[in-house]
Amino acid sequence: AATSTILAPISEEIVFRGWLFNALRRRLNPWPAIISSSLVFAAIHPPLSFVTTFLFGTCAAIVYFKTSNLWASILVHALNNMLISTQSVTEHILIQAGLVNDSNNPMQMAFMLGIPSILATLWLGHYLVIKKRFFNLLVSLSP
């Protein structure tokens, strides 16, 4: 859990936003740099859904671009990974307890766990990043 919620967000954000996005940004306008870095980010996560990983990469790149603060995208990435881990464990517990059946309705988990996770990520992201309640206390890691 520590690897996916702490180490992976730090290392991946340094590589994909701190290095790749900035390198692309020197040659491209913001949107092509955001899209290109997100495509590469999604491509290195093969067992996961390409589309959802690409969308998350796009969100993380936008957060980094808007804040110019690598801590912002690290926090959003860590929050995303924490919610995914929590959702996976919760899903397993609910299936084992017989409270839900994973084979009957694949959308059941999305409604029970996925939508609240997405809403929590959006609310916390908005509060912490857009409202800058957290990041104005941090020193920027950006070049």
Side-chain angles (χ1 to χ4, degrees), residues 29-87:
N29 289 325
W31 279 107
I34 288 169
I35 299 300
S36 299
S37 64
S38 299
L39 286 169
V40 175
F41 177 75
I44 67 132
H45 291 85
L48 302 174
S49 168
F50 184 87
V51 173
T52 56
T53 304
F54 168 75
L55 291 174
F56 172 75
T58 302
C59 291
I62 291 168
V63 165
Y64 176 67
F65 177 68
K66 292 240 179 233
T67 64
S68 297
N69 189 324
L70 202 54
W71 284 113
S73 60
I74 290 170
L75 179 66
V76 168
H77 196 144
L79 176 63
N80 178 70
N81 287 6
M82 181 187 71
L83 290 171
I84 289 169
S85 295
T86 302
Q87 181 177 343

Side-chain angles (χ1 to χ4, degrees), residues 56-130:
F56 172 75
T58 302
C59 291
I62 291 168
V63 165
Y64 176 67
F65 177 68
K66 292 240 179 233
T67 64
S68 297
N69 189 324
L70 202 54
W71 284 113
S73 60
I74 290 170
L75 179 66
V76 168
H77 196 144
L79 176 63
N80 178 70
N81 287 6
M82 181 187 71
L83 290 171
I84 289 169
S85 295
T86 302
Q87 181 177 343
S88 179
V89 169
T90 304
E91 181 177 335
H92 179 74
I93 290 169
L94 291 173
I95 291 168
Q96 292 301 313
L99 298 173
V100 295
N101 184 341
D102 64 336
S103 62
N104 286 348
N105 186 358
M107 293 303 292
Q108 187 176 25
M109 287 298 170
F111 285 112
M112 288 180 62
L113 303 172
I115 291 174
S117 293
I118 290 168
L119 293 175
T121 301
L122 291 173
W123 180 81
L124 284 170
H126 174 75
Y127 183 78
L128 295 173
V129 176
I130 306 300

